[in-house]
C-alpha cells in the first residue's frame, strides 16, 4: 500500500505545482489594437508588391487584407482572372490550372469572399448543348478550386452557355475569349 501511495502523492504534488503561479501572456496578440512603441521600433520599410488581376497589395490602412474589390454590376473589375478552355472541352489545361492555383491562394487569404463561377461557351452549337458545356466548365473549375483547399460552400456555379459572349465577333479570337469560366466575387 505504501508503494502505491508514494507515487500517487508525487504525481498529485507535481500537478498542483503546475496549476498555480503567474499566467503567461498569449503567444499571439489577441487584441487587434496596435502597440505603438513596439510597432514603431520594429517597423519594416514598405516592400514593393507586384499586383495583378489576382494579387492585391495589403496596405497599412488594410492590415488584414480583407478589403478587396468586388465585381460591379457589369461583372468586370473583379480580383480573379478568367480561365479559358479549348473548343468543345471542359478539361482544365496547364495555364488554367496555374491561374486557379493563384486564385486558391487569394481565396484562402480572403476568407469572407464568396465566388459565383460562370461557365461560358462560344456561339457554335445548340443552346442546350452549350448550357451543358458551360455547366461542365464551371463545375470543373469549382472542383479544382475545392481540391486546392477552397471550401465548397463558398463556391457556386451557373452556366450561361453562349448567351453572354465577352466578344460577339465571328472570329476564332472572339470564340477563344468566350470559352471561359468567369468569376463574380462577393462577400
Amino acid at each position: 500500500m505504501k508503494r502505491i501511495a508514494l507515487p500517487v502523492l508525487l504525481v498529485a504534488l507535481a500537478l498542483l505545482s503546475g496549476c498555480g503561479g503567474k499566467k503567461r501572456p498569449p503567444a499571439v496578440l489577441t487584441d487587434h489594437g496596435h502597440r505603438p512603441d513596439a510597432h514603431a521600433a520594429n517597423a519594416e520599410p514598405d516592400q514593393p508588391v507586384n499586383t495583378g488581376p489576382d494579387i492585391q497589395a495589403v496596405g497599412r490602412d488594410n492590415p488584414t487584407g480583407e478589403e478587396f474589390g468586388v465585381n460591379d454590376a457589369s461583372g468586370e473589375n473583379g480580383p480573379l482572372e478568367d480561365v479559358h478552355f479549348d473548343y468543345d472541352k471542359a478539361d482544365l489545361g496547364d495555364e488554367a490550372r496555374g491561374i486557379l492555383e493563384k486564385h486558391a491562394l487569394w481565396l484562402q487569404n480572403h476568407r469572407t469572399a464568396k465566388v459565383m463561377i460562370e461557365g461560358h461557351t462560344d456561339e457554335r452549337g445548340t443552346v442546350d448543348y452549350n448550357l451543358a458545356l458551360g455547366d461542365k466548365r464551371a463545375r470543373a473549375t469549382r472542383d479544382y478550386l475545392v481540391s486546392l483547399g477552397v471550401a465548397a460552400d463558398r463556391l457556386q456555379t451557373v452556366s450561361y452557355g453562349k448567351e453572354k459572349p465577352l466578344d460577339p465577333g465571328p472570329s476564332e479570337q472572339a470564340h477563344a475569349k468566350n470559352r471561359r469560366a468567369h468569376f463574380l466575387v462577393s462577400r
Side-chain angles (χ1 to χ4, degrees), residues 12 29 86 92 104-105 111 120-121 131 152 163 170 179 183 186:
L29 182 61
D86 290 334
L92 295 168
L105 288 174
R111 299 219 181 255
H120 295 272
T121 65
L131 284 172
E163 301 305 313
R179 296 188 302 259
F183 303 90
S186 65

Side-chain angles (χ1 to χ4, degrees), residues 52-129:
D54 55 354
I55 299 173
Q56 295 182 358
V58 175
R60 290 187 194 276
D61 56 341
N62 178 23
T64 63
E66 285 300 319
E67 293 299 320
F68 52 87
V70 296
N71 300 103
D72 58 18
S74 69
E76 300 304 319
N77 304 322
L80 303 178
E81 170 185 5
D82 289 352
V83 294
H84 292 88
F85 295 86
D86 290 334
Y87 174 70
D88 201 29
K89 301 282 184 204
D91 301 329
L92 295 168
D94 291 338
E95 184 177 346
R97 288 178 188 268
I99 292 169
L100 290 175
E101 288 167 6
K102 291 178 186 176
H103 292 358
L105 288 174
W106 188 89
L107 287 165
Q108 289 168 353
N109 289 324
H110 297 87
R111 299 219 181 255
T112 60
K114 296 190 182 299
V115 179
M116 174 65 72
I117 303 168
E118 299 177 344
H120 295 272
T121 65
D122 60 35
E123 65 184 15
R124 298 171 285 190
T126 66
V127 172
D128 289 340
Y129 179 81

